[in-house]
Amino acid sequence: MADTYKLGDLVWAKMKGFSPWPGKVIPARDNVKKPSKKHCHFIYFFGSENYAWIESANMKPYFQYKARLMNANKTSTFKEAVDCIEKYIGENNILVPDMKGGTNATNHSKKRNTPSKERKIKATPKRRPNSDASGGSAKRIKTESVRLKDPSLTTSPSHNSKARVSALLNRPVHIERPETPPLDVGSVSQTLKDKKIEPSGLKFGFLGLGIIGSGIVKNLLNSGHSVMVWNRSSEKCGDFVNAGAKEMMTPSDVIAAADITFSCVSDPQVAKNMVFGNCGVLQEISADKGYVEMTGIDAETSQDIAEAIGGRGGRYLEAQVQGSKVQAEEGTLVILAAGDRTLFDDCQSCFQAMGKNSFYLGEVGNASKMNLVLQVMAGVTLAGLAEGMALADRAGLQQKDVMEIMELTSLACPLMIEKGKAIIEGGFPTHLPLQHMQKDLRLGMLMGDMLELPLPLTAATNEVFKHAKRLGYGEHDVSSVYIRTRF
């Protein structure tokens, strides 16, 4: 069947898991990845002011299916979306085709005998309270038109936090991840100054400049350590090079130039690729080299890496971290290490720069297991917090009152307070990505399977995080799990 949709067409667009939603075919934005499937159109969604690629098979002409689909969804956000498209039709004097024999309600109108095959719809915009007919309403219409030209524009910052959270709900697509403020590599935290660290004379390498890695390297440089860096996206290295780091072309180049190399990447598979892949760690590892894995991994992956490093004569240490963006930048992480004790000792000045405490837990695998135990506890706690905040909101309670009272009880802890405030504010800027927490919950369940230990709460929590990730919040902060509890 030929694809008949073109730019400017008004349509009903359906995404999996959502009702058909009123939208418009618009030109694709430059920063949006094109889909691999054919016959896809870039759709702007009215009401939610968002956009997504939709297959033509999941689209219907707006006017032809208006009568059939307008009452398919009873939510207030859907009704607002319909109001928005109808207002757009009226403001832009869009001609509505008189489709004979179709399902469009206009076929049954009193103007059916109009000689022309098309007629204009005139929409009467709703008047806002306390606005006069000439000033306030006209200003609002102008703003709506600008938003249609640039659908990336979001709600006015003057809206309260509850409105910001509510705007995320019942959307046909997810919001973009909030931009993370650039890291000021040259700033030195008071915590780091108070430590008065004597830097090691060894040369250190660092693979991966993500949220945690960036904060760690910042403190290594500001405490006087010699650091060589590599990142898959080389543009992230610029600020660190300006602060004194040396950028290397490949992971193997870092290993060759450094005495001890740290790795902090996204997940176990990437950690393995870093070691075993092309231009990887194993190509240059030798008896005089040390390798420290800081990626959140499982004990089996850590053991595989340890055996490979040891097979080349190198020293290996797993050093799992507890903490997120703020702790990494301030140098207050908690470090859980296991493996080669001499390498642990050689890294002490680095660990002092990174965190407030470091623990040596014995043989390889113990640190990974300890980290997963703590992450399971944190994940279940966060799901409980999100569910409780959703329940309070549904019950008509003020969430800020919930947090104020909670802070006075035994439930109060930095995690609950920090993420509770993030839920109320509704922006979810990334401190710890939700997808990383879901990964740790999955690894914790695998550990439970190997030990034949039932983990029903962890399993249920993992499903909650998986759903939030499927909705598109994987790269948002872990506190965005709250969105899942609202559905």
Side-chain angles (χ1 to χ4, degrees):
M1 181 178 177
D3 190 347
T4 59
Y5 296 103
K6 61 184 184 298
L7 291 178
D9 282 353
L10 300 180
V11 297
W12 294 97
K14 187 178 189 317
M15 288 190 70
K16 184 177 180 181
F18 294 92
S19 301
W21 204 270
K24 177 184 176 183
V25 181
I26 64 172
R29 302 189 65 189
D30 294 336
N31 62 340
V32 178
K33 183 179 179 181
K34 293 185 178 180
S36 57
K37 296 181 180 179
K38 295 181 180 179
H39 302 308
C40 288
H41 297 276
F42 199 62
I43 303 298
Y44 165 74
F45 290 95
F46 288 87
S48 66
E49 299 184 351
N50 221 314
Y51 47 80
W53 287 103
I54 302 294
E55 290 184 77
S56 58
N58 294 323
M59 295 163 52
K60 301 290 184 184
Y62 177 75
F63 296 109
Q64 182 178 347
Y65 285 82
K66 175 180 173 182
R68 183 184 303 178
L69 297 177
M70 273 191 67
N71 297 319
N73 189 327
K74 300 294 185 180
T75 64
S76 59
T77 49
F78 177 79
K79 293 176 181 177
E80 289 172 5
V82 172
D83 288 343
C84 287
I85 192 171
E86 289 296 316
K87 180 181 293 185
Y88 174 72
I89 291 168
E91 291 171 358
N92 291 274
N93 295 320
I94 294 175
L95 296 175
V96 182
D98 184 11
M99 292 159 287
K100 295 181 179 180
T103 59
N104 195 319
T106 58
N107 288 332
H108 307 288
S109 68
K110 294 181 180 180
K111 296 190 177 182
R112 190 173 178 178
N113 58 356
T114 302
S116 173
K117 288 190 176 183
E118 293 186 331
R119 63 185 179 85
K120 293 184 180 180
I121 281 187
K122 184 176 181 181
T124 304
K126 293 181 180 179
R127 292 187 59 185
R128 300 179 68 180
N130 302 323
S131 63
D132 58 76
S134 60
S137 297
K139 184 176 181 181
R140 184 183 181 213
I141 292 173
K142 183 177 180 181
T143 303
E144 294 285 342
S145 299
V146 171
R147 283 180 178 169
L148 284 172
K149 293 176 183 177
D150 185 1
S152 67
L153 294 177
T154 55
T155 312
S156 169
S158 64
H159 283 206
N160 58 37
S161 59
K162 184 173 181 180
R164 292 174 60 194
V165 173
S166 297
L168 303 177
L169 307 178
N170 297 322
R171 288 182 167 218
V173 288
H174 67 273
I175 61 170
E176 293 182 353
R177 178 168 62 92
E179 290 187 8
T180 302
L183 177 65
D184 185 359
V185 180
S187 66
V188 183
S189 69
Q190 187 60 46
T191 301
L192 187 63
K193 292 177 181 178
D194 294 340
K195 292 179 181 180
K196 298 179 180 178
I197 298 168
E198 184 68 30
S200 169
L202 298 173
K203 295 180 180 178
F204 296 92
F206 207 95
L207 308 175
L209 295 173
I211 292 176
I212 301 296
S214 294
I216 289 174
V217 173
K218 165 183 174 288
N219 287 319
L220 288 177
L221 290 170
N222 289 331
S223 58
H225 291 86
S226 174
V227 185
M228 286 148 282
V229 297
W230 174 88
N231 190 70
R232 183 174 56 183
S233 303
S234 60
E235 59 267 18
K236 284 190 175 182
C237 297
D239 291 339
F240 297 97
V241 171
N242 293 336
K246 183 177 180 181
E247 181 182 4
M248 309 303 285
M249 294 299 294
T250 66
S252 59
D253 292 338
V254 176
I255 297 293
D259 298 305
I260 298 173
T261 300
F262 298 92
S263 172
C264 187
V265 291
S266 58
D267 59 51
Q269 187 57 54
V270 177
K272 277 191 171 183
N273 294 342
M274 196 72 63
V275 175
F276 299 100
N278 186 36
C279 298
V281 169
L282 284 185
Q283 292 189 10
E284 295 292 341
I285 205 74
S286 59
D288 59 341
K289 306 290 184 180
Y291 190 70
V292 183
E293 185 60 80
M294 305 191 78
T295 306
I297 58 177
D298 55 285
E300 289 68 34
T301 297
S302 187
Q303 191 64 49
D304 291 344
I305 295 174
E307 290 176 359
I309 299 293
R312 297 296 183 92
R315 297 182 294 164
Y316 174 77
L317 187 75
E318 58 177 11
Q320 307 289 277
V321 297
Q322 281 288 307
S324 58
K325 181 177 181 289
V326 173
Q327 290 75 34
E329 293 178 4
E330 292 182 352
T332 56
L333 296 168
V334 175
I335 299 159
L336 312 172
D340 192 296
R341 181 61 195 246
T342 63
L343 183 52
F344 176 77
D345 293 336
D346 288 343
C347 292
Q348 277 307 297
S349 64
C350 295
F351 290 158
Q352 289 175 21
M354 299 175 192
K356 57 184 178 181
N357 291 98
S358 60
F359 297 87
Y360 180 76
L361 301 175
E363 64 182 18
V364 171
N366 285 350
S368 297
K369 294 174 183 176
M370 180 68 77
N371 185 58
L372 290 179
V373 167
L374 295 173
Q375 289 298 89
V376 163
M377 293 179 181
V380 172
T381 300
L382 284 173
L385 171 67
E387 204 163 90
M389 293 291 272
L391 179 62
D393 185 61
R394 186 66 63 89
L397 301 174
Q398 293 293 320
Q399 291 179 333
K400 62 180 181 63
D401 292 341
V402 174
M403 288 303 301
E404 184 177 350
I405 294 170
M406 189 190 72
E407 289 183 39
L408 300 175
T409 71
S410 58
L411 287 172
C413 68
L415 177 68
M416 297 280 276
I417 294 171
E418 176 190 343
K419 300 310 178 186
K421 290 179 179 178
I423 287 171
I424 293 174
E425 292 169 1
F428 309 119
T430 308
H431 289 254
L432 174 64
L434 182 143
Q435 61 191 6
H436 289 185
M437 177 60 78
Q438 192 271 318
K439 176 260 299 180
D440 290 338
L441 289 167
R442 175 175 54 83
L443 294 178
M445 290 175 60
L446 289 174
M447 186 168 73
D449 288 343
M450 294 186 64
L451 299 172
E452 298 183 351
L453 177 68
L455 298 173
L457 290 179
T458 306
T461 301
N462 184 52
E463 292 303 316
V464 172
F465 277 83
K466 277 169 58 179
H467 192 181
K469 182 180 175 182
R470 186 184 68 80
L471 291 174
Y473 291 89
E475 294 185 347
H476 290 64
D477 187 69
V478 68
S479 55
S480 63
V481 70
Y482 171 70
I483 297 299
R484 166 59 186 84
T485 66
R486 289 297 302 269
F487 283 98

